[in-house]
Amino acid sequence: WNTIKLEKQGDNYGFADNKSFYFVHSFIGITNNPNSTLAFTNYEGIKIPAIIKEENITGFQFHPEKSHYTGLELIKNFCND
């Protein structure tokens, strides 16, 4: 479980800073366009992109479906966007 920090406002699917989500992967997705990063997490001093969006594609580094009520809220907001 790691806390998400918003990189920029807008397109954040209704969640706020300091919400925790379940991460299970041991890899990092790096973007070519830093403006694509909507949110990040800090893991042992490494700033990891947690949500990226480029045009009509959005990617989550964490598992919203395994992130309890916070994840369910994010999925609901994402589907209603």
Side-chain angles (χ1 to χ4, degrees):
W1 291 86
N2 279 351
T3 304
I4 298 295
K5 296 280 191 184
L6 294 177
E7 185 73 5
K8 61 183 182 177
Q9 297 298 319
D11 290 336
N12 59 12
Y13 305 110
F15 75 92
D17 274 344
N18 300 316
K19 298 282 186 169
S20 291
F21 291 92
Y22 179 72
F23 289 76
V24 71
H25 303 296
S26 59
F27 62 89
I28 300 172
I30 304 296
T31 61
N32 290 332
N33 179 359
N35 292 325
S36 298
T37 302
L38 300 183
F40 67 91
T41 190
N42 188 332
Y43 182 74
E44 295 188 10
I46 301 170
K47 188 175 177 180
I48 299 172
I51 302 175
I52 59 169
K53 183 174 183 179
E54 186 69 35
E55 296 181 18
N56 64 339
I57 298 172
T58 303
F60 300 95
Q61 175 70 21
F62 53 88
H63 285 274
E65 77 281 6
K66 295 183 178 186
S67 297
H68 208 261
Y69 294 120
T70 306
L72 293 175
E73 179 185 353
L74 176 64
I75 292 169
K76 182 182 90 178
N77 293 342
F78 180 80
C79 290
N80 290 325
D81 185 29

